[in-house]
Amino acid sequence: MRVGLIVDSACDLPYEFSRRHDLFVLPVTAVIDGQTYIDEHEPVRTQEFYQSGLLLKGHHAETQAFSARQIHDLFMEKIVTRFDVAICETVTRSRSLIFQNATEAMNSVMAHYQGARKVAGRDGKFSMGVVDSRQIFAGQGLLAAHTLRLIGQKLSENALRHEVETFTDKIHTCVIPRDMHYLRQRARKHGDKSVSALVAFLGETLNITPVIFGLGAEGQPAARTRSFDAAVEKVMNYAAGRVEAGVLTPYVSLSCGLTWTEIEDLPGLNRLRDACEQNGVELLLSQMGITSSIHVGPGSLCLALAAEPHQFSDFR
């Protein structure tokens, strides 16, 4: 039985990791200044995106979920003919229509997959499930990495889905936005009130950069610093301390809306790398995808790990 994992373009993971594990990425449409881009997490296009400065102030950017029809067609062509069981993990449904559209597409696929499998020469039944990850960006990437680990353990389909849905409630996420007003405007469009007007005001007028921390996509300001670098160092120290204390899956996911040169210069990154190496944890370091960067703003950072209940202040 071949099991496939599908994520969408809001899921941040290193390209080589995704390719090595045969991860299928469901694209998202990005519209920037009226120009349409299809975000498939292709690394060359992502790097060009950052170097071009397309999300700097003055540019208007939005994302659009693929329609149920588009997703149906992709599932029939790319998934039904390759896998016997498929799990589709989407960005939290509170931020996008992807979960809704993927669920509608799945229902249609389950009613019509037999012909496509017959043409492809695949015997047996096909089954599929769509899971609301309740995560964003690096958090969604962490869930995907853990899911791939579970798939490797050859769990039954029901056990696999149960483990995934239980695990997602244990993912802690840190987000450092570079532009608080950009983030607040985006958040208000999606009903996320975690970024208050006061924090947005402080972020612009006093150069105070917050660290937003919480379970999954539900975060609150946990620290305020005088610079982006100071905020990054706090997050790196938090993550290193949490890794040393123990994590629930051997991964830390870190995505950055920066060029690779800027990423390598991040303060505290080497300390986190050392902590991961010494504790048998893989650091999944990636450029933030186009979709993620549009949602949280260019130059931002997102880190996720899974652990027992704790506070950000416990490890900073």
Side-chain angles (χ1 to χ4, degrees):
M1 181 177 71
R2 191 169 186 209
V3 182
L5 179 61
I6 307 159
V7 296
D8 56 60
S9 291
C11 176
D12 287 333
L13 276 172
Y15 176 74
E16 289 300 325
F17 181 91
S18 298
R19 189 173 68 171
R20 184 168 72 248
H21 292 282
D22 201 18
L23 191 67
F24 182 82
V25 178
L26 181 63
V28 171
T29 301
V31 182
I32 306 173
D33 291 342
Q35 181 73 35
T36 298
Y37 304 83
I38 302 300
D39 181 14
E40 297 179 298
H41 268 213
E42 200 283 317
V44 174
R45 169 60 66 87
T46 302
Q47 179 71 359
E48 291 173 349
F49 173 81
Y50 284 111
Q51 292 176 339
S52 69
L54 278 174
L55 281 187
L56 297 178
K57 289 183 178 178
H59 293 278
H60 179 75
E62 291 290 343
T63 59
Q64 298 173 357
F66 267 32
S67 68
R69 179 78 254 176
Q70 288 174 301
I71 297 173
H72 169 274
D73 292 345
L74 281 173
F75 285 172
M76 291 291 283
E77 179 185 357
K78 305 289 188 180
I79 303 302
V80 166
T81 57
R82 293 175 58 196
F83 302 105
D84 303 307
V85 176
I87 297 176
C88 178
E89 295 175 351
T90 73
V91 66
T92 178
R93 73 173 81 185
S94 65
R95 304 288 181 94
S96 172
L97 291 174
I98 297 174
F99 174 81
Q100 176 181 320
N101 292 354
T103 300
E104 183 179 337
M106 175 196 69
N107 291 335
S108 177
V109 164
M110 292 305 297
H112 301 95
Y113 72 81
Q114 292 90 346
R117 281 178 71 83
K118 184 176 181 180
V119 170
R122 293 200 70 90
D123 297 325
K125 294 183 178 180
F126 172 79
S127 63
M128 185 175 189
V130 178
V131 177
D132 175 7
S133 74
R134 303 195 292 280
Q135 305 296 325
I136 53 173
F137 321 144
Q140 193 180 354
L142 185 76
L143 179 64
H146 184 69
T147 302
L148 290 167
R149 183 177 174 84
L150 293 172
I151 290 172
Q153 296 174 8
K154 301 190 182 302
L155 301 179
S156 70
E157 184 178 354
N158 288 338
L160 176 61
R161 181 157 183 159
H162 173 74
E163 289 293 329
V164 168
E165 292 178 343
T166 301
F167 181 79
T168 192
D169 293 328
K170 300 173 182 177
I171 297 177
H172 295 74
T173 304
C174 299
V175 175
I176 306 175
R178 203 63 176 262
D179 184 330
M180 286 303 303
H181 278 276
Y182 180 101
L183 179 62
R184 180 170 177 256
Q185 289 170 1
R186 291 287 315 175
R188 289 179 66 182
K189 289 182 180 180
H190 296 275
D192 180 1
K193 299 179 181 178
S194 63
V195 185
S196 69
L198 174 61
V199 175
F201 172 78
L202 291 176
E204 181 165 305
T205 62
L206 298 180
N207 195 34
I208 290 178
T209 302
V211 174
I212 300 171
F213 172 79
L215 284 171
E218 304 304 320
Q220 295 292 332
R224 295 173 183 175
T225 63
R226 289 287 180 177
S227 70
F228 179 77
D229 282 354
V232 170
E233 192 159 19
K234 281 184 180 292
V235 168
M236 296 297 181
N237 288 339
Y238 152 78
R242 183 63 257 190
V243 166
E244 291 164 356
V247 290
L248 299 178
T249 194
Y251 303 105
V252 170
S253 180
L254 174 61
S255 65
C256 312
L258 304 164
T259 65
W260 279 110
T261 300
E262 293 169 324
I263 290 172
E264 289 299 328
D265 288 337
L266 289 172
L269 178 59
N270 287 334
R271 186 200 165 189
L272 176 57
R273 278 179 168 147
D274 290 344
C276 288
E277 182 176 353
Q278 292 167 12
N279 290 275
V281 172
E282 183 175 357
L283 178 60
L284 300 172
L285 177 61
S286 66
Q287 276 191 312
M288 191 172 280
I290 296 171
T291 299
S292 307
S293 190
I294 287 175
H295 277 273
V296 76
S300 300
L301 179 147
C302 183
L303 180 143
L305 52 78
E308 298 295 346
H310 64 278
Q311 299 298 318
F312 180 78
S313 58
D314 294 341
F315 294 94
R316 73 185 187 191

